[in-house]
């Protein structure tokens, strides 16, 4: 499991950066907000596209985010960022066209994105170079070591690997196909991606999913109702549904299954689901608590870890 370090606990994200330059960060990429929090840069965030409604655990564990300026994804306005005195702006690749405009206004602008685990580590290291604190450097080093160990811990490749289909949405019906990090963690977990399409959030018909007839279905945390899937006259006939091999993906600070730091936890969870057909809840609860302590500097109760594992929001304060 991801074990806590034997060294003294590191400062959490409520501690300001200790580097020579304190950034005023505007975050235009949902997932990257989670990376900034992991590296202790939470106090430097002045605006983000992340919201409490979409990421309740992020704002629950880092309540200072409630005070930052909300931004609209895909609609970042230079005037707003200037008023906030933003000095560092992170953009997803889809919004790279904004970079020259923001740079002319004196803001350092960085465009980031990745499609695999190697790209994740590159993104993390580039961010660490900007945050430039001992805390950030230590967490990146530990995370890189833990991720590499997790990726090499899988079983033997075999043609008999179960076919796994990941559904990020039931309405509209979408799947995650090849050349995505979703496909990579499916393979690292001992499965094969049942989808023959390429890319994220690809629209499909129920009939196409029936043709694939996967052995295992994994629903994204916000994909829709599992009960509605079982009642569906078409999808309800899938072998995975009839065999009750449908699993809800956990979700914490960010969605485990997509492009955030909790992909490390996703590897352990996916391996259990794919190879055993069940989740060892006691084991995963321990892993979750260790991960958040090690990489976010926060202490979760067993009950909180269990809610994250079940893709449930935090209880109201």
């Amino acid at each position: 499991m991801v074990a806590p370090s034997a060294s003294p606990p590191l400062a959490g994200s409520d501690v300001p950066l200790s580097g020579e330059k304190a950034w005023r960060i505007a975050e235009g990429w949902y997932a990257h907000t989670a990376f900034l929090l992991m590296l202790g840069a939470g106090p430097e965030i002045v605006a983000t596209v992340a919201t409490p409604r979409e990421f309740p655990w992020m704002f629950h564990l880092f309540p200072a985010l409630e005070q930052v300026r909300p931004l609209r994804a895909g609609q970042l306005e230079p005037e707003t960022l200037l008023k906030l005195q933003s000095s560092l702006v992170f953009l997803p690749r889809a919004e790279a066209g904004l970079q020259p405009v923001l740079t002319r206004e004196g803001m350092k602008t960085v465009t980031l994105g990745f499609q695999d685990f190697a790209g994740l580590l590159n993104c993390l290291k580039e961010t660490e170079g900007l945050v430039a604190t001992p805390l950030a450097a230590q967490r990146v080093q530990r995370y890189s070591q833990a991720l590499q160990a997790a990726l090499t811990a899988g079983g033997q490749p075999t043609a008999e690997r179960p076919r796994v289909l990941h559904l990020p949405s039931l309405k509209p019906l979408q799947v995650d196909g090849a050349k995505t990090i979703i496909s990579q963690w499916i393979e690292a977990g001992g499965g094969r991606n049942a989808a023959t399409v390429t890319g994220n959030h690809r629209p499909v018909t129920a009939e196409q999913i029936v043709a694939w007839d996967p052995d295992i279905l994994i629903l994204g945390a916000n994909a829709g109702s599992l009960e509605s899937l079982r009642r569906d006259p078409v999808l309800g006939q899938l072998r995975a549904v009839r065999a009750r091999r449908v699993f809800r993906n956990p979700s914490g600070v960010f969605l485990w299954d997509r492009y955030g730091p909790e992909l490390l936890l996703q590897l352990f969870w996916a391996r259990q689901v794919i190879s055993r057909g069940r989740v060892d809840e006691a084991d995963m609860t321990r892993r979750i608590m260790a991960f958040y302590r090690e990489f976010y500097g926060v202490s979760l109760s067993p009950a909180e870890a269990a809610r994250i594992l079940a893709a449930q929001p935090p209880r109201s304060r």
Side-chain angles (χ1 to χ4, degrees), residues 227-301:
E227 189 56 37
S228 69
L229 174 66
R230 290 174 178 154
R231 292 198 307 264
D232 188 280
V234 179
L235 297 178
Q237 299 306 308
L238 292 168
R239 75 175 70 193
V241 177
R242 288 186 282 108
R244 294 190 174 274
R245 291 173 67 86
V246 182
F247 300 89
R248 174 76 68 186
N249 214 110
S251 178
V253 170
F254 195 69
L255 304 170
W256 283 23
D257 49 0
R258 307 209 74 81
Y259 294 83
E262 286 137 307
L263 278 163
L264 176 56
L265 285 170
Q266 178 73 9
L267 286 170
F268 294 108
W269 180 85
R271 195 162 289 140
Q272 292 184 5
V273 165
I274 296 169
S275 65
R276 304 178 190 176
R278 63 179 181 84
V279 177
D280 184 335
E281 295 184 4
D283 175 70
M284 284 307 306
T285 297
R286 288 191 294 269
R287 291 183 187 275
I288 291 167
M289 294 173 69
F291 177 92
Y292 284 84
R293 183 169 58 248
E294 178 77 9
F295 296 112
Y296 282 120
V298 297
S299 296
L300 295 176
S301 69

Side-chain angles (χ1 to χ4, degrees), residues 56-57 60 304 307 313-317:
W57 279 105
H60 177 77
E304 287 176 316
R307 292 186 71 83
R315 295 191 185 278
S316 301
R317 290 190 180 91

Side-chain angles (χ1 to χ4, degrees), residues 4 35 41 70 92 107-108 112 126 140 181 225 272 293:
F35 286 106
M107 289 173 263
K108 181 173 181 60
L112 295 171
E126 184 171 354
V140 168
I181 208 162
S225 166
Q272 292 184 5
R293 183 169 58 248

Side-chain angles (χ1 to χ4, degrees), residues 80-184:
T80 299
L81 301 182
L82 281 170
K83 288 179 182 177
L84 292 169
Q85 299 180 327
S86 306
S87 57
L88 174 60
V89 182
F90 288 101
L91 296 173
R93 287 175 176 168
E95 297 182 53
L98 269 177
Q99 189 164 11
V101 178
L102 299 178
T103 300
R104 283 198 299 270
E105 296 293 346
M107 289 173 263
K108 181 173 181 60
T109 309
V110 180
T111 302
L112 295 171
F114 57 87
Q115 293 296 325
D116 53 28
F117 284 105
L120 183 158
L121 291 178
N122 289 336
C123 174
L124 194 55
K125 290 174 182 176
E126 184 171 354
T127 304
E128 183 269 321
L130 292 164
V131 174
T133 64
L135 170 62
Q138 289 177 46
R139 284 193 176 155
V140 168
Q141 181 181 28
R142 292 176 187 173
Y143 186 92
S144 299
Q145 292 169 346
L147 182 62
Q148 295 291 356
L151 286 170
T152 56
Q156 294 291 330
T158 171
E160 300 303 317
R161 287 182 169 211
R163 293 172 303 108
V164 181
L165 188 64
H166 186 265
L167 302 176
S169 173
L170 290 174
K171 293 183 179 180
L173 194 56
Q174 297 175 340
V175 302
D176 288 305
K179 297 184 179 179
T180 64
I181 208 162
I182 291 84
S183 201
Q184 192 176 13

Side-chain angles (χ1 to χ4, degrees), residues 182-200:
I182 291 84
S183 201
Q184 192 176 13
W185 61 248
I186 288 174
E187 293 168 7
R192 291 177 290 157
N193 195 339
T196 58
V197 297
T198 299
N200 294 293

